[in-house]
Structures are given as C-alpha cells and as structure tokens.
Amino acid sequence: MQPSNDRFRAGGGGPGNVPGTDEGQDPEPEDIRYRDPWYDALASGWGDGNGTGAPTAPVPAAHREGAAGPEAGAAAEAYLEVQRSAAFQEVRNRYRRFVMPAVALFLAWYVGYVLTATTAPGLMARPVVGALNVGMLAGLGQFLSTFLLAWAYARHARLRRDRAALELRWDTQELTRGVRGGAS
C-alpha cells in the first residue's frame, strides 16, 4: 500500500517511485527521494521540484532500512551506559528539582490571575495609582514573572547542570568514538 504522502516504498508502485527503476528492483541509493513534510507551500517553486512544486531531497544513508549495521547497536549501548550512570541521573534530578516546582508555581500564579480576573472583576478594577488598577499590575506581573523564571532557569542551568552535562557529552563522544574505530 502506498502511503498517503506518496513517499517511496521499495517495490510499491505509484507516484513515489523513482523513474527508471523496474517493479521490485531496488533503485540506486542516490536515486531514493522523499518529499519534505515541512516544506512551506507559500514558497512553492523554490528548489528542485518534482513537478508538484514540492522539492524532493535524497534520503540520507543513515535513515535507510538496514543501513545502520552492527555499529548502531554498540553506539546505542554506549548511550544507554551513559544514561544509567550516576552522573547522568544527578543532572536529570537537578533539572527536575528546579523545573517541577517552578512550573507548578508559575501555573498556579497564572491560573490564580485568570480566575481572579473572571470571578472578582471588582477587585481587579480597584485603582492603585492613577489609571493603573490591580488587574493591570497583575497582568504586568505575569510578564515580569515570565522573564524572571527564564532568568532563574538559565542561571540554574549555568551554575548547577551545564558543567556536568558537558562532561557527560564528552564521555558519550569518547564512548561512541571507540565504537566507530576512532573516527570523528
């Protein structure tokens, strides 16, 4: 059965097949093409087209079936080894210890603001200074709290997680480099 987006499937007839190949015969690797699902329809006509206005791109060798080989299993095992390590678990725990309470607090503040605005319009309309009322200040507080949360997250990441994450990344690179036989 041909997929709905007309991508090439070996042995399947239809518009996704590469011209010049016989039914059941595998095409040359450089002839395999697929349609880009993220193609912007407003930019039709740009790039190399296939007659439909949508550009096609060659399928990278790493994404073809059976192209991974035994190297992929060893690399996957290297990543799993890093994921099981105490250092990785510590980085993830530090992330969770900051993000979970921060998200809960921010959502509570946002829902509280919306509920107060809808259930107590008299309170929100109470003037504070001149034309500024409680609702306007609370709305501006939403913007301020968003920026403060972004700053706090970046600071937390820089001080508590980045160094350890970079060390894990280095370890992962070293493990996978050994799998690939020293190639980088």
Side-chain angles (χ1 to χ4, degrees), residues 114-150:
V114 171
L115 287 176
T116 306
T118 56
T119 59
L123 172 68
M124 297 300 253
R126 185 171 293 154
V128 176
V129 175
L132 284 176
N133 60 23
V134 172
M136 292 172 111
L137 288 178
L140 291 172
Q142 290 289 316
F143 285 103
L144 179 63
S145 64
T146 301
F147 290 114
L148 284 174
L149 183 60

Side-chain angles (χ1 to χ4, degrees), residues 17-132:
N17 266 347
V18 177
T21 60
D22 294 330
E23 184 81 22
Q25 179 184 6
D26 289 332
E28 294 297 317
E30 52 271 0
D31 288 343
I32 297 175
R33 302 245 178 220
Y34 69 96
R35 291 188 186 158
D36 184 3
W38 300 107
Y39 177 70
D40 185 3
L42 296 176
S44 63
W46 292 13
D48 60 343
N50 59 359
T52 64
T56 56
V59 177
H63 295 301
R64 285 187 222 131
E65 280 186 34
E71 220 173 74
E77 188 58 40
Y79 280 99
L80 287 173
E81 181 182 332
V82 170
Q83 183 181 8
R84 290 182 201 117
S85 71
F88 181 84
Q89 296 304 320
E90 181 60 27
V91 169
R92 295 300 298 165
N93 286 337
R94 287 179 185 176
Y95 171 78
R96 288 185 190 114
R97 280 193 304 259
F98 178 83
V99 169
M100 296 300 180
V103 167
L105 185 65
F106 185 78
L107 286 177
W109 159 232
Y110 175 72
V111 169
Y113 168 70
V114 171
L115 287 176
T116 306
T118 56
T119 59
L123 172 68
M124 297 300 253
R126 185 171 293 154
V128 176
V129 175
L132 284 176

Side-chain angles (χ1 to χ4, degrees), residues 150-172:
W151 170 81
Y153 176 82
R155 183 176 185 275
H156 182 269
R158 185 181 68 244
L159 295 177
R160 311 250 166 131
R161 294 191 323 262
D162 285 353
R163 185 174 315 234
L166 284 173
E167 289 172 6
L168 283 169
R169 185 176 181 188
W170 181 261
D171 293 344
T172 306

